[in-house]
Amino acid sequence: MSLTVKETKGGGSAPIEPGAYPARCVGVVDLGIQHNDFNNKDQEKVRLIFELPTERVQVDGEDKPRWLSKPYTASLHEKSTLRHDLDAWRGKPFTQEELAGFNLANVINAPCLLTVVNQEGKNGGTYAKIAGISKPMKGMEVPPLENEPIQFDMDAEDAEETLKLLPTCRRTRLSAEFNCPSSGITFTLA
């Protein structure tokens, strides 16, 4: 699975410049079980979505903060990418006691500093990729969220309504990742 957010060549926004950006986590999205071709395993996946208040884009004629996201295997194993990013974000490693009681939804609205790089895709498009997440620098103020926080659990009764809180382009991207035949949920993008 790619760790990038594709920006379209025609009609879409240009990728943001590489660099460090203040951000807040605006959403945690349960992607369900996904097949990983690299290790030929089915794994539980999640996607963290970040709001970048200093980077703006036009959405349905309105000036909105940019969003970037990153998918993860839903694992807090010490070698997992999610665990590595969470440790860097907190500025310290988890203790065993903290891990035992950790809920990923707790990162919603948490400030951070994202390191963003641009990457050339196979189709010739350029992608903005989250290369790192860290604790904001001491004294750095990260503006509050402008959008409503989103916690999407595909097994929740209000899953379709929560999905509708996302912009259409984000719903389209995420709906392509969902793999939930047992959930009985049919996602509509209207």
Side-chain angles (χ1 to χ4, degrees), residues 26 34 44 47 58 62 68 85 89 95 100 134 142 172 185:
V26 70
Q34 302 282 318
E44 182 76 21
R47 181 175 287 277
Q58 291 293 312
E62 292 183 52
L68 287 180
D85 282 357
W89 191 349
T95 65
S134 62
V142 178
T172 302
I185 298 172

Side-chain angles (χ1 to χ4, degrees), residues 3-5 18-19 34 71-72 83 101 115 126 129 131-132 141 148 160 163 169 171 186:
L3 298 181
T4 59
V5 177
Q34 302 282 318
Y72 295 92
R83 171 82 174 272
T115 301
T126 301
K129 176 181 175 179
E141 291 294 324
E148 185 175 341
E160 283 191 78
L163 189 64
C169 64
R171 280 186 277 156
T186 303

Side-chain angles (χ1 to χ4, degrees), residues 12 19-20 22-23 47 52 71 80-81 83-84 87 92 116 118 125 131-132 147 151 155 170 183:
R47 181 175 287 277
L52 288 71
S80 74
T81 303
R83 171 82 174 272
H84 175 269
D87 283 348
K92 63 181 180 178
V116 177
N118 285 344
N147 291 286
Q151 182 181 353
D155 294 327
R170 185 69 55 185
S183 72

Side-chain angles (χ1 to χ4, degrees), residues 8-57:
T8 59
K9 286 174 136 182
S13 300
I16 63 174
E17 294 293 319
Y21 294 89
R24 285 187 183 268
C25 181
V26 70
V28 174
V29 177
D30 170 16
L31 297 173
I33 303 296
Q34 302 282 318
H35 184 73
N36 185 332
D37 290 330
F38 177 74
N39 61 12
N40 199 31
K41 291 183 181 177
D42 290 337
Q43 299 172 313
E44 182 76 21
K45 299 286 185 173
V46 297
R47 181 175 287 277
L48 298 182
I49 304 172
F50 298 89
E51 182 178 287
L52 288 71
T54 61
E55 298 302 306
R56 311 303 288 190
V57 67

